[in-house]
Amino acid sequence: MTGPTEPTFTEHGVDVVLISEAFPTLHPRERLYDDRCVVVASTDTPPDASALDLLTTQPHVVVDTERRVFPYSVLDEKGVDYRIGRLISDFLLVPYLVGRAGGVALLRFRVAAEMRALVGLRIEEFPFPLPGLGIDMVWNPHLGDHHFVAWLRQLLFDAARS
């Protein structure tokens, strides 16, 4: 995948493109969203267990995809043994199943913090350094209406903040 191109930004094209920090673009970027990956566990896991202990001893709830989702690749690189306990079809089910059925999962902090109000979750920091998840805005270089850009920019920041 590549970043936005000139054809993306025709005079009648899109106003702004949201793009992960992992993808390059020649256009100027503006940071919209930052988050980090955390380990979530059932509240009935051993309270003195570290995040690494939880990752190696508890069954994992993971989404069934063709490739292992980040940051499982980091665990693989570090030689951390883990056991997949349940494969599911939807990311939205992960925190619910961890909270209700036990085990651990890897989630974005904002999702975990929000879900903790609905289901009991223990949140621990991921035990290895990870790049954050950054989403940037890349504005259409043809936009001349600065009042519109300011309005849309604020609307996007308000949506990302919540």
Side-chain angles (χ1 to χ4, degrees), residues 68-79 82 106 126 130:
R68 186 62 47 229
V69 245
F70 180 81
Y72 278 98
S73 57
V74 174
L75 293 180
D76 294 338
E77 289 169 13
K78 300 288 185 184
Y82 56 90
L106 301 174
F126 192 77
L130 287 176

Side-chain angles (χ1 to χ4, degrees), residues 35-47 49-52 54 95 98-99 103-127:
D35 205 356
R36 67 189 194 278
C37 187
V38 294
V39 177
V40 295
S42 168
T43 54
D44 59 0
T45 55
S50 69
L52 189 55
L54 293 170
V98 168
V104 297
L106 301 174
L107 289 177
R108 292 291 169 192
F109 173 74
R110 288 187 184 190
V111 171
E114 194 69 30
M115 290 301 294
R116 189 167 33 185
L118 303 173
V119 64
L121 291 175
R122 174 181 171 183
I123 300 174
E124 299 287 340
E125 294 300 322
F126 192 77

Side-chain angles (χ1 to χ4, degrees), residues 75-93:
L75 293 180
D76 294 338
E77 289 169 13
K78 300 288 185 184
V80 174
D81 289 328
Y82 56 90
R83 178 172 53 93
I84 296 174
R86 179 175 276 181
L87 287 173
I88 60 173
S89 62
D90 195 317
F91 281 103
L92 294 174
L93 296 174

Side-chain angles (χ1 to χ4, degrees), residues 131-152:
L133 169 68
I135 303 294
D136 297 331
M137 296 182 287
V138 180
W139 293 95
N140 185 334
H142 302 291
L143 281 178
D145 186 344
H146 298 291
H147 295 292
F148 171 75
V149 170
W151 170 80
L152 183 56

